Amino acid sequence: MPRLSPRSERRFRRARGLAGPIFRLIDVLAVQEPDDVARWESLGVDRTRIQVTGNTKFDYAGGGGGRAAEFRALLRQRGVADDAPVLLAGSTFPGEELILARLYRELRKRFPNLFLILVPRPCRADARSAGRSAPIGPPRSAAQRGSIGACRRARRQYHR
């Protein structure tokens, strides 16, 4: 879901002869705001291929999606109870992990079986990420210990 800065929009307009044909090859373009539709269309993207999704990082659409059962099955394999609430933070930047660790520690007082999933941006399976989330405490389960391994596996899969 690309964000179109005013600067990039000006540059694409100047290079419309080159950018337009490339933009017409796009199958689906997800944009955050309804105003973005006209901007992308004016650059050459077919309006029927533009979908307004909102901010997929922060907006909540409800319903849990079509793969919720698959997600729960994956968590179950890692020892997480089916009724455990999950705090999922994706694409986090340095500093956000510490904020989330503190929040997680507070929320565990109210929700003792809360399960935390942190997916740093970019996926950093190293001591720096682990050190920033040290306030959470040591891993209590195989599920928690598996997060760095999962990050390494994701990195290998992505870079094939």
Side-chain angles (χ1 to χ4, degrees):
M1 172 173 26
R3 283 178 274 171
L4 184 60
S5 71
R7 179 181 177 191
S8 293
E9 185 176 5
R10 282 191 306 274
R11 288 178 174 181
F12 287 138
R13 284 195 195 293
R14 274 189 243 128
R16 189 175 293 149
L18 179 63
I22 293 170
F23 287 149
R24 283 189 280 283
L25 297 173
I26 293 175
D27 291 324
V28 176
L29 179 69
V31 298
Q32 292 186 20
E33 303 291 333
D35 293 345
D36 294 334
V37 174
R39 294 173 64 211
W40 280 102
E41 183 182 25
S42 72
L43 294 173
V45 179
D46 182 345
R47 182 179 213 100
T48 62
R49 297 175 185 258
I50 304 171
Q51 299 293 317
V52 178
T53 60
N55 185 319
T56 59
K57 184 172 181 180
F58 297 110
D59 291 349
Y60 176 71
R67 299 183 69 187
E70 182 181 349
F71 177 69
R72 279 295 173 180
L74 179 64
L75 290 177
R76 194 176 315 112
Q77 291 172 2
R78 306 292 299 163
V80 179
D82 284 343
D83 62 344
V86 174
L87 175 57
L88 171 63
S91 195
T92 61
F93 285 95
E96 292 177 333
E97 291 101 342
L98 184 57
I99 294 167
L100 286 159
R102 290 177 179 148
L103 176 65
Y104 174 73
R105 188 173 51 199
E106 288 301 310
L107 287 171
R108 293 240 340 142
K109 295 174 186 173
R110 187 167 170 203
F111 306 98
N113 62 342
L114 179 65
F115 186 74
L116 173 64
I117 301 173
L118 281 176
V119 184
R121 174 190 180 146
C123 193
R124 295 178 311 269
D126 59 23
R128 291 175 307 184
S129 290
R132 280 193 294 275
S133 41
I136 296 173
R140 294 183 326 279
S141 68
Q144 289 173 319
R145 286 189 299 273
S147 63
I148 288 180
C151 193
R152 287 185 182 129
R153 286 189 298 278
R155 184 181 294 164
R156 281 193 305 267
Q157 180 71 26
Y158 180 75
H159 291 290
R160 281 187 180 186

